[in-house]
Amino acid sequence: MKEAEKLHYIKRREMVETLKRYGIANRRVLDAFLEVPRHLFFESEAVACAYNDGAYPIGFGQTISQPYTVAFMTTLLVERCPSGKVLEIGTGSGYQAAILDALGYSVFSIERIFELHERAKKLISKLGLHVVCRHGDGTLGWMEHAPFDGIVVTAGAPGEPESLMRQLAERGCMIVPIGGNGSQQMTVIQREEGVFKKELFEYFTFVPLIGREGWDDTVF
Ligand code: SAH
């Protein structure tokens, strides 16, 4: 391993220790965080911040989520839907998609900002990940590949996203932060025999989910 890579690995191990202190205990999730080189999802001038415990701007008013947030959402998914096809809404930097790929899911990801979509798609292909990316409004889901065993929404939704719920497989679950601008409650919606079961967790702060079944882009 090159010197720089060794340093990144050490910082990654520290990040995983922080996640453990915060209560993330799922071994598969922690291993994925150790494996995925988070610094590669940052622009070169920001690489030094890659392993800080926080969200970070990725351009176009968007952010790569805090490691704890990604780990929390991923744990909710892994514990309920350990394998299969997952749709991510909000590719952003591509980091969450890479974590899902490392966990062995078959990953589909949609991003509404063209430049972010292009950047993430290039990086994902350079890293040889099996993530299928698309530019568009993720609130409508991805009908051609539905149903999904998991759906992870990485932007704050104003309410329960109905089109996405319809694209969940039986026993499939959606992880989605729901709430007004500034604070959203992490929510799990799981389909069981055609009925949607809801579980509520702690509050986070996400950038808004903007689209036909999300927020109106004139509000932001
Ligand atoms: N998962 C990302 C987090 C990015 S922040 C990561 O790991 O880096 C959330 C992203 O959701 C932003 O890039 C934003 O542009 C995108 N987004 C917001 N509304 C969307 C929509 N309707 N469809 C697809 N992407 C959306």
Side-chain angles (χ1 to χ4, degrees):
M1 216 190 273
K2 283 202 227 120
E3 211 47 43
E5 287 313 305
K6 251 189 225 161
L7 276 177
H8 286 309
Y9 184 76
I10 290 169
K11 285 192 179 173
R12 213 145 58 236
R13 247 186 5 218
E14 286 168 4
M15 176 181 76
V16 168
E17 289 309 313
T18 305
L19 291 176
K20 282 193 203 162
R21 273 200 305 279
Y22 285 173
I24 303 293
N26 186 289
R27 198 60 254 173
R28 280 182 68 202
V29 173
L30 294 170
D31 284 348
F33 274 77
L34 198 56
E35 182 185 324
V36 176
R38 183 169 160 95
H39 60 282
L40 298 183
F41 296 83
F42 283 66
E43 306 223 61
S44 48
E45 64 276 12
V47 161
C49 304
Y51 295 103
N52 291 355
D53 181 36
Y56 199 85
I58 54 172
F60 308 93
Q62 308 304 318
T63 52
I64 176 171
S65 306
Q66 183 181 359
Y68 173 67
T69 309
V70 181
F72 190 85
M73 295 179 87
T74 307
T75 303
L76 291 175
L77 177 73
V78 165
E79 284 174 347
R80 291 161 184 77
C81 305
S83 62
K85 210 161 36 161
V86 172
L87 174 66
E88 179 197 24
I89 311 304
T91 317
S93 67
Y95 180 67
Q96 168 82 75
I99 291 283
L100 295 170
D101 178 78
L103 282 158
Y105 291 105
S106 162
V107 188
F108 296 82
S109 185
I110 308 178
E111 170 58 51
R112 70 176 273 274
I113 297 175
F114 183 72
E115 291 83 350
L116 291 178
H117 156 76
E118 283 285 288
R119 199 204 285 163
K121 197 170 94 175
K122 270 195 203 125
L123 178 59
I124 280 165
S125 117
K126 193 168 135 200
L127 298 176
L129 309 181
H130 305 289
V131 175
V132 186
C133 294
R134 200 188 90 187
H135 170 236
D137 178 5
T139 63
L140 304 176
W142 199 335
M143 216 40 218
E144 295 86 330
H145 295 289
F148 297 96
D149 303 293
I151 299 181
V152 179
V153 183
T154 69
E160 294 173 17
E162 291 189 1
S163 287
L164 292 177
M165 281 162 74
R166 280 196 294 273
Q167 293 183 25
L168 275 179
E170 174 57 25
R171 299 201 63 78
C173 61
M174 168 154 53
I175 320 298
V176 53
I178 298 179
N181 195 12
S183 173
Q184 300 86 26
Q185 188 164 28
M186 196 58 74
T187 307
V188 174
I189 300 173
Q190 186 156 17
R191 183 180 206 143
E192 267 177 40
E193 290 168 16
V195 176
F196 293 100
K197 200 182 78 188
K198 207 161 94 177
E199 292 171 271
L200 299 172
F201 296 88
E202 56 197 77
Y203 283 83
F204 291 83
T205 301
F206 281 84
V207 296
L209 178 74
I210 296 172
R212 280 257 298 278
E213 294 184 27
W215 295 99
D216 189 334
D217 65 351
T218 57
V219 176
F220 298 95

